[in-house]
Amino acid sequence: MTKFKAKDYLLSIQHLFAMFGATILVPLLTGLNPAVALFTAGFGTLIFHFVTKLKVPVFLGSSFAFLPALIAVVKANGTVDPSRVPYAQGGVMFAGIAYMLFALLTYFLGPDRIKKLFPPVVTGPVIIVIGISLSSTAIKDATGNLDLSNGITGQAGLNIGIAFFTLLVVIGFTMFAKGFFKIIPILFGIAAGYLLCVIFSLLGIYKMDFSPIVHAHWINVPFITKDMNGVSFFSLPKFDLGIILSIAPITMVTFIEHIGDITTNGAVVGKDFLKDPGLHRTLLGDGIATFCAGLLGGPPSTTYAENTGVLASTKNYNPALLRMTAVFAIILGLIGKFGAVLQTIPDPVKGGVEIILFGMIAAIGARTLSDANLDFTHSRNLTIVGLILVFGLGIGGIGGLKVAIGSVSLSISGLFVAVIIGVLANVILPMEESTEKA
């Protein structure tokens, strides 16, 4: 059994801060419970470590890749519909199953053969679609979801001001902070924006509802505790084929993200985790963690670069520190008052963070294409990227495709169509001569 010293607990708390902002932001933006997300992130991290033989110093937090699909499910009419959360859970569970299938294929076929299906010419534009398709959500939240068709009202102007204040704080910490503080700009942005709203509320300028905090239990007991609206802390999943098809295929993109994160983590630590414990084990750990997150009501999980950054800065690579961080996350998730505070974060604050975050997601997609040194004088590359962008953004812009099969009606997202068409085009279209030589 690992014995912890005082400095080890401090390092674990540092890892907690590094993952905290991003992990709670995904449920805040999608309408899921951020306290449950903390619990499932900690629980999933412990599962991951067990599956990977306690060798890989990784923390699993909320995945941003699934944002468009989860928002489309839970916020079908622009506002959170609690009755649709269980269906999102079902989709997340099948995303976990997809991870497990990738783990199985990787074990039998090897990672190189699987990676060939998802080269940068496919994953890059898909990531761009994810970021751009969320841009309207960021603007809506920044304005407080007010109708601006007749102009910007005083309240809308105040909301925009709060959003831009939050945005500037995030940019400031991203650009000018040093060391550990540079890793957690989202956390500082949310904290600063929330504090500003509290001050405005005390001055009577802005209205905040603190009743969820007042009525929240101090400790949440799984499947027993309910909030002030009678909603259980944990809810059981439901299944809808259309929703499953809109969520699960996104693992085709996060699969490549997973390989990159595990490779980077191994480079920092000085070990090849793709060989020991093996990529199939890290994928399996991620898959089981995501499956359990869906079962309990959390978002899909992914390996966190933020915590790899802490490993690099502290030079302490002990995986037990990440397991202690997981325990801290579980404890925080069970504190009802703390979870209630997270749920009172105003929309303009979330909007300010979303503006920079969603833009960065799209920019990462562009960087993926740039780093791959793709030659866009080749019609093959132009065709694949063009198809993914048009189908992903075009179908997403009309709210997805409605498909009726007998009595069953399916809603297929633009992102799903983009991934499938991108993979098929990459397999079917012949390589150009100069590309084959390269």
Side-chain angles (χ1 to χ4, degrees):
M1 184 176 178
T2 303
K3 292 184 178 180
F4 286 97
K5 299 178 181 179
K7 66 176 183 179
D8 293 328
Y9 288 102
L10 292 176
L11 284 172
S12 293
I13 293 173
Q14 189 171 354
H15 277 289
L16 183 72
F17 275 104
M19 69 86 192
F20 187 85
T23 294
I24 66 166
L25 186 59
V26 172
L28 286 173
L29 303 185
T30 57
L32 301 178
N33 189 324
V36 174
L38 281 173
F39 180 93
T40 56
F43 185 57
T45 298
L46 295 179
I47 291 173
F48 179 90
H49 280 247
F50 176 77
V51 173
T52 56
K53 302 180 180 180
L54 308 179
K55 292 183 177 181
V56 187
V58 157
F59 190 92
L60 298 186
S62 306
S63 173
F64 287 94
F66 293 84
L67 277 173
L70 291 175
I71 289 174
V73 173
V74 180
K75 295 184 175 180
N77 299 314
T79 57
V80 175
D81 184 353
S83 67
R84 295 183 61 84
V85 170
Y87 292 101
Q89 291 178 236
V92 172
M93 290 177 67
F94 272 85
I97 293 173
Y99 265 123
M100 297 179 207
L101 291 175
F102 275 122
L104 186 65
L105 290 173
T106 301
Y107 180 76
F108 286 108
L109 300 178
D112 292 336
R113 290 184 181 179
I114 304 298
K115 286 168 63 177
K116 285 182 179 179
L117 292 174
F118 310 103
V121 73
V122 173
T123 57
V126 168
I127 296 171
I128 292 174
V129 169
I130 291 173
I132 294 179
S133 64
L134 289 166
S135 57
S136 61
T137 299
I139 300 303
K140 287 178 182 178
D141 281 340
T143 61
N145 290 290
L146 296 177
D147 183 7
L148 303 183
S149 58
N150 296 320
I152 299 178
T153 62
Q155 183 61 54
L158 178 61
N159 291 340
I160 293 172
I162 293 170
F164 270 92
F165 171 78
T166 305
L167 172 63
L168 290 175
V169 172
V170 175
I171 293 175
F173 275 93
T174 301
M175 298 295 296
F176 305 112
K178 303 294 183 182
F180 169 70
F181 296 102
K182 192 178 183 68
I183 301 175
I184 52 174
I186 291 176
L187 183 60
F188 280 112
I190 292 174
Y194 190 91
L195 180 60
L196 180 65
C197 289
V198 170
I199 293 173
F200 283 172
S201 180
L202 294 175
L203 294 175
I205 301 174
Y206 187 84
K207 185 178 181 180
M208 288 187 67
D209 182 13
F210 297 105
S211 58
I213 303 173
V214 175
H215 293 94
H217 300 270
W218 279 103
I219 301 296
N220 283 326
V221 181
F223 297 110
I224 296 177
T225 304
K226 295 184 179 181
D227 64 17
M228 57 184 293
N229 297 315
V231 178
S232 176
F233 177 60
F234 285 130
S235 56
L236 294 175
K238 296 180 181 179
F239 302 96
D240 176 273
L241 182 58
I243 291 174
I244 291 170
L245 289 177
S246 69
I247 295 176
I250 299 173
T251 53
M252 295 181 186
V253 178
T254 55
F255 164 74
I256 299 299
E257 178 188 54
H258 176 99
I259 295 175
D261 286 344
I262 296 298
T263 302
T264 303
N265 189 275
V268 169
V269 176
K271 297 181 180 179
D272 188 354
F273 293 131
L274 297 182
K275 292 184 178 180
D276 182 24
L279 179 60
H280 63 286
R281 279 189 172 271
T282 62
L283 282 168
L284 180 62
D286 210 340
I288 297 175
T290 296
F291 182 88
C292 292
L295 178 65
L296 299 174
S301 61
T302 188
T303 47
Y304 259 31
E306 290 89 337
N307 294 95
T308 299
V310 175
L311 292 175
S313 64
T314 62
K315 302 296 190 293
N316 190 323
Y317 311 132
N318 185 1
L321 295 178
L322 280 302
R323 295 193 286 275
M324 178 57 67
T325 302
V327 172
F328 287 150
I330 291 172
I331 293 172
L332 280 179
L334 293 175
I335 299 175
K337 295 288 186 183
F338 181 76
V341 170
L342 298 179
Q343 291 181 309
T344 60
I345 296 175
D347 285 343
V349 175
K350 291 186 283 186
V353 174
E354 288 168 341
I355 290 172
I356 184 68
L357 176 66
F358 298 162
M360 282 185 172
I361 291 174
I364 288 171
R367 189 183 71 185
T368 300
L369 293 172
S370 175
D371 291 345
N373 293 318
L374 292 172
D375 188 349
F376 281 101
T377 61
H378 293 162
S379 57
R380 182 181 189 274
N381 292 336
L382 281 175
T383 300
I384 294 173
V385 173
L387 288 173
I388 292 173
L389 292 177
V390 171
F391 278 102
L393 296 173
I395 294 176
I398 61 174
L401 294 177
K402 307 296 181 182
V403 180
I405 305 175
S407 59
V408 180
S409 178
L410 303 178
S411 180
I412 300 177
S413 69
L415 187 59
F416 170 78
V417 176
V419 171
I420 298 301
I421 286 180
V423 171
L424 291 177
N426 177 61
V427 171
I428 295 172
L429 295 180
M431 287 283 188
E432 297 184 35
E433 185 177 350
S434 58
T435 305
E436 289 179 341
K437 289 180 179 180

